[in-house]
């Protein structure tokens, strides 16, 4: 199993509504793609607000992760994230 965590930083013009839409669009991927074991997303409630959105997903295997990255559904969510003001992101993948 592969675990992916992504932290996303947005610009000052990104609204709370847009951040919530990012979370909802990401959560919808669980029902749209195969190979996803678990998927979580939310707004960072910690004191450090440098990265506002946290995305976590577990895949059955590396092949599921590879398919996810290039899927049209994921690409559309990534484009929306960019469109609403993504400044930076940090992602990690590791095997469980």
């Amino acid at each position: 199993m592969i675990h992916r965590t992504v932290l996303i930083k947005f610009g000052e013009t990104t609204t709370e509504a847009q951040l919530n839409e990012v979370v909802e669009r990401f959560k919808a991927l669980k029902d749209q793609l195969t190979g996803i074991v678990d998927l979580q997303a939310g707004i960072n409630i910690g004191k450090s607000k440098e990265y506002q959105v946290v995305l976590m997903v577990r895949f059955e295997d590396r092949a599921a992760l590879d398919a996810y990255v290039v899927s049209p559904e994921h690409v559309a969510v990534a484009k929306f994230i960019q469109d609403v003001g993504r400044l930076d992101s940090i992602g990690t993948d590791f095997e469980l």
Side-chain angles (χ1 to χ4, degrees), residues 1-7 26 35 37-40 54-62 65 68 91-96:
M1 190 175 319
I2 305 294
H3 179 91
R4 166 172 277 200
T5 300
V6 178
L7 305 175
F26 183 75
V37 175
D38 186 44
L39 186 146
Q40 302 290 321
V54 180
L55 312 174
M56 295 183 296
V57 59
R58 288 188 179 178
F59 299 95
E60 292 174 352
D61 52 28
R62 182 63 188 226
L65 168 62
Y68 161 87
T92 61
D93 301 314
F94 61 92
E95 195 164 2
L96 297 173

Side-chain angles (χ1 to χ4, degrees), residues 21-42:
E21 181 72 15
V22 166
V23 168
E24 293 309 311
R25 288 184 185 214
F26 183 75
K27 286 181 177 179
L29 293 175
K30 185 172 184 181
D31 297 327
Q32 299 171 359
L33 302 172
T34 59
I36 294 175
V37 175
D38 186 44
L39 186 146
Q40 302 290 321

